Amino acid sequence: MTETRYLPAPAESAVVITDGEREEIARVAGELALAASGVVDGTEWLAAARAASARLPHRLQAAVREFRHDAGPDAVLLVRNLPVPDRLPATPTLPGSVQRTATTATGAMAMVMLQLGEIVAYRNEKSGALVQDVVPVPGRERQQSNAGSVLLQMHTENAFHRSRPDYVGLLCVRTDPTGDARLRTASIRRALPLLSREALEVLSQERFITEAPPSFGGAQGLPPSPYPVLRGASEDHDVVVDFNSTHPLDDTARHALEELRTAFETTARGFALTAGDLAVVDNRLAVHGRTAFTPRYDGTDRWLHRVYAVVDHRRSRADRRDGGSVLD
Ligand SMILES: O=C(O)CCC(=O)C(=O)O
Ligand SMILES: [Fe+2]
């Protein structure tokens, strides 16, 4: 099956935290867990996390800064060996699960994401929480959302939204016991050379629409308007596509979209995340998805935390009530 092919995770873009650095990060995250009564969703805790992010080990800050400058050919940064709690509760199984209380893991993750930009969430997605859980949910196996466990199609995060996140952070706090679940990423920088000139041209035209994903509960008010999947500099495009909810408006556009899918499948990377691994995807250059796996729903399932960041907070001000972090 071409659907689940992938190359190994790119070793050159991984930052492996030393045990000493991990203790340092855990100490700062521990202090942060006490700030603002440990309530993650609020300007007070975020302010404390932003200040604390300047105390991350210098080597990590430098790597994050470099990634922000240029996400490289794969457009994904893997940070390994971050602190996660030793004693975790059972993996949640309820839909819409989020983290409202600061832990070592949420603190460490928030600090890294705050070195990339500002953390945002979406009012209609997972109750607008800044740190969301990515867990398999009983009864949602076939859903094309992070609650599902069938193959999750490659997508730009929130492709339909005008204020898409620039970065998606996924921190593994519990390793998948089956070993089958892999985050998959594919970058337009790797895929572009595989595209025909005709596909390139068509993908750059307003011949596609994208619906809101199931995690947004469907209804979005505005009807989707036609847009180009590839935009920006012709030698180094940005990409906006969701292979589940982007629809071509004609047959030529359909062929071009299929070509793009094949190019992504050919160049995709696979990440079998283990506890303490944080993958940061540049959402402008890379799409991501997940292989299929079989959940157990017994508290031991794979568990990730997800946080979004944007580089330019100001740009989305009109969509953020009271200047907060939650986008309408
Ligand atoms: O489960 C994964 O590895 C990725 C899920 C995903 O696409 C997301 O949470 O945005
Ligand atoms: Fe996603």
Side-chain angles (χ1 to χ4, degrees):
M1 274 247 310
T2 54
E3 290 280 42
T4 51
R5 282 191 60 232
Y6 53 83
L7 302 168
E12 67 276 14
S13 61
V15 179
V16 184
I17 300 298
T18 64
D19 289 348
E21 288 169 331
R22 189 188 58 213
E23 274 164 38
E24 206 180 315
I25 298 168
R27 197 165 44 246
V28 179
E31 285 174 31
L32 188 53
L34 304 174
S37 313
V39 180
V40 170
D41 295 285
T43 49
E44 207 189 323
W45 189 82
L46 264 187
R50 194 161 49 245
S53 73
R55 294 166 64 199
L56 284 174
H58 182 258
R59 200 170 64 89
L60 176 56
Q61 288 194 46
V64 170
R65 184 65 187 82
E66 193 53 38
F67 180 71
R68 176 174 151 165
H69 166 65
D70 188 336
D74 293 296
V76 54
L77 173 71
L78 181 64
V79 182
R80 310 203 67 170
N81 201 30
L82 282 171
V84 294
D86 296 330
R87 293 154 69 94
L88 269 183
T91 300
T93 54
L94 290 175
S97 172
V98 298
Q99 295 291 309
R100 301 257 185 215
T101 308
T103 63
T104 318
T106 53
M109 179 176 199
M111 288 190 285
V112 173
M113 297 307 284
L114 283 163
Q115 283 290 318
L116 282 166
E118 304 296 341
I119 291 177
V120 292
Y122 296 80
R123 194 169 307 282
N124 289 338
E125 186 184 48
K126 308 226 185 197
S127 46
L130 299 185
V131 183
Q132 307 128 31
D133 289 322
V134 178
V135 292
V137 174
R140 305 220 169 166
E141 290 76 10
R142 310 204 64 77
Q143 197 176 73
Q144 281 295 310
S145 79
N146 63 26
S149 39
V150 296
L151 181 118
L152 178 59
Q153 301 278 2
M154 294 285 211
H155 56 278
T156 299
E157 195 68 20
N158 296 346
F160 76 96
H161 203 285
R162 68 174 169 165
S163 297
R164 292 174 296 280
D166 294 323
Y167 299 102
V168 181
L170 294 161
L171 172 65
C172 181
V173 292
R174 178 170 281 132
T175 308
D176 172 31
T178 70
D180 293 336
R182 278 176 169 72
L183 168 70
R184 301 177 75 224
T185 70
S187 136
I188 190 63
R189 286 179 169 168
R190 294 260 189 226
L192 206 68
L194 305 187
L195 296 177
S196 66
R197 194 190 302 223
E198 192 194 19
L200 256 176
E201 201 179 310
V202 172
L203 290 165
S204 305
Q205 295 167 349
E206 294 180 347
R207 287 165 85 159
F208 306 87
I209 53 164
T210 295
E211 299 165 334
S215 50
F216 274 76
Q220 267 310 295
L222 288 174
S225 50
Y227 77 97
V229 160
L230 298 181
R231 63 266 308 264
S234 58
E235 76 268 32
D236 190 14
H237 285 101
D238 283 2
V239 65
V240 181
V241 72
D242 181 331
F243 288 100
N244 183 51
S245 51
T246 297
H247 305 292
L249 294 179
D250 56 75
D251 275 350
T252 314
R254 184 181 316 280
H255 287 131
L257 200 60
E258 265 318 304
E259 230 186 87
L260 180 63
R261 184 206 290 268
T262 305
F264 278 145
E265 291 297 331
T266 309
T267 54
R269 302 273 182 173
F271 296 80
L273 300 175
T274 59
D277 285 351
L278 169 66
V280 182
V281 180
D282 186 320
N283 198 42
R284 299 156 301 184
L285 288 167
V287 290
H288 67 280
R290 193 212 55 245
T291 56
F293 67 110
T294 307
R296 302 175 174 173
Y297 305 132
D298 63 354
T300 69
D301 281 327
R302 176 180 190 256
W303 184 2
L304 315 181
H305 293 339
R306 182 177 69 183
V307 171
Y308 299 139
V310 292
V311 173
D312 186 350
H313 216 202
R314 191 70 203 152
R315 188 173 298 157
S316 63
R317 179 62 183 84
D319 289 336
R320 293 182 289 104
R321 294 180 206 170
D322 303 324
S325 306
V326 182
L327 289 153
D328 284 327

